[in-house]
């Protein structure tokens, strides 16, 4: 294993009945990188990150994170080791207010006195721009703010690696700008793996892009290389 890599998968595979959603994937992510994972619908992106985070079990293959084999580690232990994530499906607690949502997420990985947890929660809310909404019930927030709240909950886990599955889906233009700014800011401390459909976001944020199609990695490279890649154009960018 390359010691610079925070995350590595070897021959990672997941079947669903007759479908191979993730097919023999060798993937590696360097500490400190901002990586985008792209590909058409059904390519296997969500399944791949579900395997990485431990939401589902691999059919075969290996996953290592921060120099440890985590293939069979339960999801909560992966969180404890520094994996944070937000998923395509909204994962906020709709009946709690913003502060309570972030506070709960922060608690999962926090050692220290309650007042520190409190100020840490406030800091995260500030960082994502939700401080003024802290006493608003999460379920009543505008959609864009709910997505930001999810990111806040991911950040509250103080992850080494933050995985975001289509975070800008449904966001308005201005909100997408705020999102990009936020990711740049947190990327100083956190390695980012971003599944994203918005090509402007991908091309301006990612240092490197991995392209999946039909369960396999079909290309990997810088934004310039990916834009110039013919296989990618055919499979994804529409010729
Ligand atoms: N829980 C599941 N049960 C059965 N098939 C699934 C399940 N999750 C995903 N799949 C299938 O696996 C393939 C990859 O899906 P997914 O990982 O969601 O792709 P993406 O996120 O790239 O759109 C698709 O064919 C999808 O229908
Ligand atoms: Mg998906």
């Amino acid at each position: 294993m390359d010691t610079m890599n925070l995350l590595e998968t070897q021959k990672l595979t997941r079947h669903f009945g007759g479908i191979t959603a993730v097919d023999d994937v060798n993937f590696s992510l360097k500490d400190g990188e901002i990586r985008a994972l792209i590909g058409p619908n059904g390519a296997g992106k969500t399944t791949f990150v579900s395997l990485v985070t431990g939401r589902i079990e691999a059919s075969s293959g290996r996953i290592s994170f921060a120099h440890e084999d985590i293939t069979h580690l339960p999801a909560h232990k992966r969180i404890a080791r520094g994996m944070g994530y937000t998923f395509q499906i909204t994962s906020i607690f709709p009946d709690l207010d913003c502060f309570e949502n972030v506070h709960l997420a922060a608690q999962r990985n926090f050692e220290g006195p309650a007042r520190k947890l409190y100020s840490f929660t406030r800091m995260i809310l500030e960082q994502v721009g939700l401080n003024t909404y802290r006493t608003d019930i999460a379920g009543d927030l505008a959609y864009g703010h709910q997505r930001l709240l999810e990111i806040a909950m991911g950040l509250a886990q103080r992850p080494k690696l933050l995985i975001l599955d289509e975070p800008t889906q449904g966001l308005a233009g201005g909100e997408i700008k705020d999102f990009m700014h936020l990711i740049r800011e947190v990327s100083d401390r956190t390695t980012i793996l971003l599944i994203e459909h918005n090509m402007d976001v991908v091309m301006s944020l990612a240092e490197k892009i991995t392209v999946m199609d039909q369960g396999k990695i079909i290309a990997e490279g810088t934004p310039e290389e990916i834009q110039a890649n013919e296989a990618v154009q055919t499979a994804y960018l529409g010729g």
Side-chain angles (χ1 to χ4, degrees), residues 3 6-7 16 26 30-31 33 41 53 55-56 69 115 122 130 141 143 150 154 158 182 192 202 217 221 236:
T3 53
L6 180 61
L7 176 69
F16 290 114
N26 296 316
K30 278 196 168 42
D31 202 7
E33 240 190 278
N41 272 330
T53 59
R55 287 216 316 177
I56 58 172
D69 188 327
R115 77 187 145 73
R122 286 291 292 264
L130 286 179
L141 292 174
Y143 182 75
E150 283 180 276
R158 292 210 273 204
L182 175 65
I192 309 270
V202 169
I217 293 177
Y236 188 50

Short mmCIF file of all heavy atoms in Angstrom, two decimals, residues 3 6-7 16 26 30-31 33 41 53 55-56 69 115 122 130 141 143 150 154 158 182 192 202 217 221 236:
data_model
loop_
_atom_site.label_atom_id
_atom_site.label_comp_id
_atom_site.label_asym_id
_atom_site.label_seq_id
_atom_site.Cartn_x
_atom_site.Cartn_y
_atom_site.Cartn_z
N THR A 3 1.83 4.65 1.20
CA THR A 3 1.60 5.25 2.51
C THR A 3 1.01 6.66 2.43
O THR A 3 0.55 7.19 3.42
CB THR A 3 2.91 5.33 3.33
OG1 THR A 3 3.88 6.00 2.53
CG2 THR A 3 3.41 3.97 3.72
N LEU A 6 -4.88 7.80 1.78
CA LEU A 6 -5.80 7.76 2.91
C LEU A 6 -6.80 6.63 2.72
O LEU A 6 -7.15 5.92 3.67
CB LEU A 6 -6.53 9.10 3.02
CG LEU A 6 -7.54 9.26 4.15
CD1 LEU A 6 -6.86 9.09 5.51
CD2 LEU A 6 -8.24 10.60 4.06
N LEU A 7 -7.23 6.47 1.48
CA LEU A 7 -8.23 5.45 1.16
C LEU A 7 -7.75 4.62 -0.02
O LEU A 7 -7.22 5.17 -0.99
CB LEU A 7 -9.55 6.13 0.80
CG LEU A 7 -10.70 5.23 0.35
CD1 LEU A 7 -11.22 4.39 1.51
CD2 LEU A 7 -11.83 6.08 -0.24
N PHE A 16 -25.68 -7.19 -6.83
CA PHE A 16 -27.08 -7.18 -6.37
C PHE A 16 -27.81 -8.16 -7.28
O PHE A 16 -28.10 -7.82 -8.42
CB PHE A 16 -27.71 -5.79 -6.53
CG PHE A 16 -27.19 -4.75 -5.59
CD1 PHE A 16 -26.50 -3.66 -6.07
CD2 PHE A 16 -27.42 -4.84 -4.21
CE1 PHE A 16 -26.03 -2.67 -5.20
CE2 PHE A 16 -26.96 -3.86 -3.35
CZ PHE A 16 -26.26 -2.78 -3.84
N ASN A 26 -10.22 -0.88 -8.31
CA ASN A 26 -9.01 -0.47 -7.61
C ASN A 26 -8.98 1.05 -7.60
O ASN A 26 -8.92 1.68 -8.66
CB ASN A 26 -7.76 -0.98 -8.34
CG ASN A 26 -7.69 -2.48 -8.36
OD1 ASN A 26 -7.94 -3.14 -7.35
ND2 ASN A 26 -7.40 -3.04 -9.52
N LYS A 30 -5.37 10.15 -2.26
CA LYS A 30 -4.26 10.66 -1.44
C LYS A 30 -4.78 11.58 -0.34
O LYS A 30 -5.78 12.27 -0.53
CB LYS A 30 -3.28 11.45 -2.32
CG LYS A 30 -2.30 10.59 -3.05
CD LYS A 30 -1.13 11.43 -3.57
CE LYS A 30 0.02 10.59 -4.06
NZ LYS A 30 -0.38 9.41 -4.85
N ASP A 31 -4.08 11.57 0.74
CA ASP A 31 -4.38 12.45 1.86
C ASP A 31 -4.36 13.90 1.36
O ASP A 31 -3.39 14.32 0.72
CB ASP A 31 -3.30 12.23 2.93
CG ASP A 31 -3.77 12.67 4.30
OD1 ASP A 31 -4.96 12.99 4.44
OD2 ASP A 31 -2.96 12.66 5.22
N GLU A 33 -6.39 15.35 -0.85
CA GLU A 33 -6.95 15.58 -2.18
C GLU A 33 -8.41 16.04 -2.18
O GLU A 33 -9.14 15.76 -1.24
CB GLU A 33 -6.93 14.23 -2.92
CG GLU A 33 -6.11 14.21 -4.18
CD GLU A 33 -6.32 12.93 -4.97
OE1 GLU A 33 -5.69 11.93 -4.62
OE2 GLU A 33 -7.11 12.96 -5.93
N ASN A 41 -25.96 7.87 -14.51
CA ASN A 41 -26.84 7.23 -13.53
C ASN A 41 -26.71 5.73 -13.62
O ASN A 41 -26.69 5.16 -14.71
CB ASN A 41 -28.30 7.62 -13.80
CG ASN A 41 -28.67 8.89 -13.09
OD1 ASN A 41 -28.12 9.19 -12.02
ND2 ASN A 41 -29.56 9.66 -13.67
N THR A 53 -18.08 3.38 3.11
CA THR A 53 -18.54 3.85 4.42
C THR A 53 -19.11 2.73 5.29
O THR A 53 -19.36 2.94 6.47
CB THR A 53 -19.63 4.94 4.26
OG1 THR A 53 -20.72 4.38 3.53
CG2 THR A 53 -19.10 6.16 3.55
N ARG A 55 -22.04 1.12 4.74
CA ARG A 55 -23.51 1.00 4.71
C ARG A 55 -23.93 -0.36 4.16
O ARG A 55 -24.95 -0.91 4.54
CB ARG A 55 -24.12 2.09 3.84
CG ARG A 55 -24.06 3.45 4.48
CD ARG A 55 -25.26 4.29 4.17
NE ARG A 55 -25.66 4.24 2.76
CZ ARG A 55 -26.73 4.85 2.29
NH1 ARG A 55 -27.50 5.54 3.10
NH2 ARG A 55 -27.03 4.79 1.02
N ILE A 56 -23.14 -0.86 3.21
CA ILE A 56 -23.37 -2.20 2.69
C ILE A 56 -22.05 -2.97 2.66
O ILE A 56 -20.97 -2.37 2.69
CB ILE A 56 -23.99 -2.18 1.27
CG1 ILE A 56 -23.11 -1.41 0.28
CG2 ILE A 56 -25.39 -1.57 1.30
CD1 ILE A 56 -23.57 -1.51 -1.16
N ASP A 69 -6.97 -2.12 7.41
CA ASP A 69 -7.96 -2.85 6.63
C ASP A 69 -9.32 -2.70 7.32
O ASP A 69 -9.48 -3.14 8.46
CB ASP A 69 -7.57 -4.34 6.54
CG ASP A 69 -8.48 -5.10 5.58
OD1 ASP A 69 -9.68 -4.76 5.47
OD2 ASP A 69 -7.98 -6.04 4.94
N ARG A 115 -19.33 22.09 27.21
CA ARG A 115 -19.28 23.46 26.71
C ARG A 115 -18.44 23.55 25.43
O ARG A 115 -18.68 24.37 24.56
CB ARG A 115 -18.78 24.41 27.80
CG ARG A 115 -17.33 24.39 28.08
CD ARG A 115 -16.92 25.23 29.28
NE ARG A 115 -15.81 24.57 29.96
CZ ARG A 115 -14.56 24.54 29.48
NH1 ARG A 115 -14.28 25.12 28.35
NH2 ARG A 115 -13.63 23.91 30.15
N ARG A 122 -21.56 25.47 17.42
CA ARG A 122 -21.79 26.83 16.94
C ARG A 122 -20.82 27.19 15.81
O ARG A 122 -21.20 27.82 14.83
CB ARG A 122 -21.65 27.83 18.09
CG ARG A 122 -22.80 27.82 19.08
CD ARG A 122 -24.07 28.36 18.45
NE ARG A 122 -23.99 29.76 18.16
CZ ARG A 122 -24.45 30.73 18.96
NH1 ARG A 122 -25.04 30.42 20.07
NH2 ARG A 122 -24.32 31.99 18.62
N LEU A 130 -25.23 28.73 8.61
CA LEU A 130 -26.57 28.44 9.14
C LEU A 130 -26.76 28.95 10.57
O LEU A 130 -27.77 28.63 11.21
CB LEU A 130 -26.85 26.93 9.12
CG LEU A 130 -27.14 26.30 7.77
CD1 LEU A 130 -27.36 24.80 7.93
CD2 LEU A 130 -28.36 26.92 7.10
N LEU A 141 -36.86 24.09 7.04
CA LEU A 141 -35.87 24.88 6.29
C LEU A 141 -36.09 24.74 4.79
O LEU A 141 -36.61 23.72 4.32
CB LEU A 141 -34.45 24.37 6.59
CG LEU A 141 -33.87 24.57 7.98
CD1 LEU A 141 -32.53 23.85 8.06
CD2 LEU A 141 -33.69 26.05 8.28
N TYR A 143 -34.99 23.93 1.04
CA TYR A 143 -34.26 22.74 0.61
C TYR A 143 -32.74 22.94 0.62
O TYR A 143 -31.98 22.10 1.14
CB TYR A 143 -34.73 22.33 -0.79
CG TYR A 143 -34.06 21.08 -1.27
CD1 TYR A 143 -34.42 19.84 -0.77
CD2 TYR A 143 -33.05 21.14 -2.23
CE1 TYR A 143 -33.78 18.69 -1.20
CE2 TYR A 143 -32.40 20.01 -2.67
CZ TYR A 143 -32.78 18.78 -2.15
OH TYR A 143 -32.14 17.65 -2.58
N GLU A 150 -26.95 19.13 6.22
CA GLU A 150 -26.36 17.80 6.10
C GLU A 150 -24.84 17.87 6.04
O GLU A 150 -24.14 17.05 6.64
CB GLU A 150 -26.83 17.13 4.81
CG GLU A 150 -28.22 16.61 4.88
CD GLU A 150 -28.57 15.97 3.56
OE1 GLU A 150 -28.99 16.68 2.65
OE2 GLU A 150 -28.39 14.75 3.44
N GLY A 154 -21.99 16.35 8.52
CA GLY A 154 -20.81 15.60 8.10
C GLY A 154 -19.54 16.20 8.69
O GLY A 154 -18.69 15.50 9.24
N ARG A 158 -15.89 15.82 12.37
CA ARG A 158 -14.46 16.11 12.22
C ARG A 158 -13.72 15.05 11.42
O ARG A 158 -12.75 14.43 11.92
CB ARG A 158 -13.80 16.27 13.59
CG ARG A 158 -14.29 17.52 14.30
CD ARG A 158 -13.24 18.05 15.19
NE ARG A 158 -13.33 17.41 16.49
CZ ARG A 158 -12.87 17.96 17.61
NH1 ARG A 158 -12.26 19.12 17.56
NH2 ARG A 158 -12.99 17.35 18.74
N LEU A 182 -17.32 26.80 0.58
CA LEU A 182 -17.22 25.99 1.80
C LEU A 182 -16.28 24.80 1.62
O LEU A 182 -15.44 24.51 2.47
CB LEU A 182 -18.63 25.51 2.20
CG LEU A 182 -18.73 24.56 3.38
CD1 LEU A 182 -18.30 25.26 4.66
CD2 LEU A 182 -20.17 24.06 3.53
N ILE A 192 -11.43 15.21 0.47
CA ILE A 192 -12.82 15.24 -0.01
C ILE A 192 -13.02 14.24 -1.16
O ILE A 192 -12.24 14.23 -2.11
CB ILE A 192 -13.19 16.65 -0.55
CG1 ILE A 192 -12.83 17.75 0.45
CG2 ILE A 192 -14.64 16.69 -1.02
CD1 ILE A 192 -13.88 18.13 1.42
N VAL A 202 -17.61 20.21 -10.65
CA VAL A 202 -16.55 19.20 -10.77
C VAL A 202 -15.27 19.82 -11.30
O VAL A 202 -14.19 19.67 -10.72
CB VAL A 202 -17.00 18.04 -11.69
CG1 VAL A 202 -15.83 17.14 -12.05
CG2 VAL A 202 -18.13 17.26 -11.04
N ILE A 217 -14.13 1.65 -13.17
CA ILE A 217 -13.45 2.92 -13.43
C ILE A 217 -12.99 2.91 -14.87
O ILE A 217 -12.23 2.03 -15.28
CB ILE A 217 -12.26 3.12 -12.47
CG1 ILE A 217 -12.76 3.30 -11.03
CG2 ILE A 217 -11.44 4.35 -12.90
CD1 ILE A 217 -11.66 3.45 -10.00
N GLY A 221 -8.07 11.23 -14.06
CA GLY A 221 -7.08 12.23 -14.44
C GLY A 221 -7.47 13.62 -13.96
O GLY A 221 -8.44 13.78 -13.22
N TYR A 236 -20.31 9.47 -21.08
CA TYR A 236 -20.87 10.35 -20.08
C TYR A 236 -21.21 11.73 -20.57
O TYR A 236 -22.32 12.23 -20.40
CB TYR A 236 -19.91 10.45 -18.90
CG TYR A 236 -20.48 11.19 -17.73
CD1 TYR A 236 -21.73 10.88 -17.22
CD2 TYR A 236 -19.75 12.21 -17.12
CE1 TYR A 236 -22.26 11.56 -16.15
CE2 TYR A 236 -20.27 12.88 -16.03
CZ TYR A 236 -21.51 12.56 -15.55
OH TYR A 236 -22.03 13.23 -14.49
#
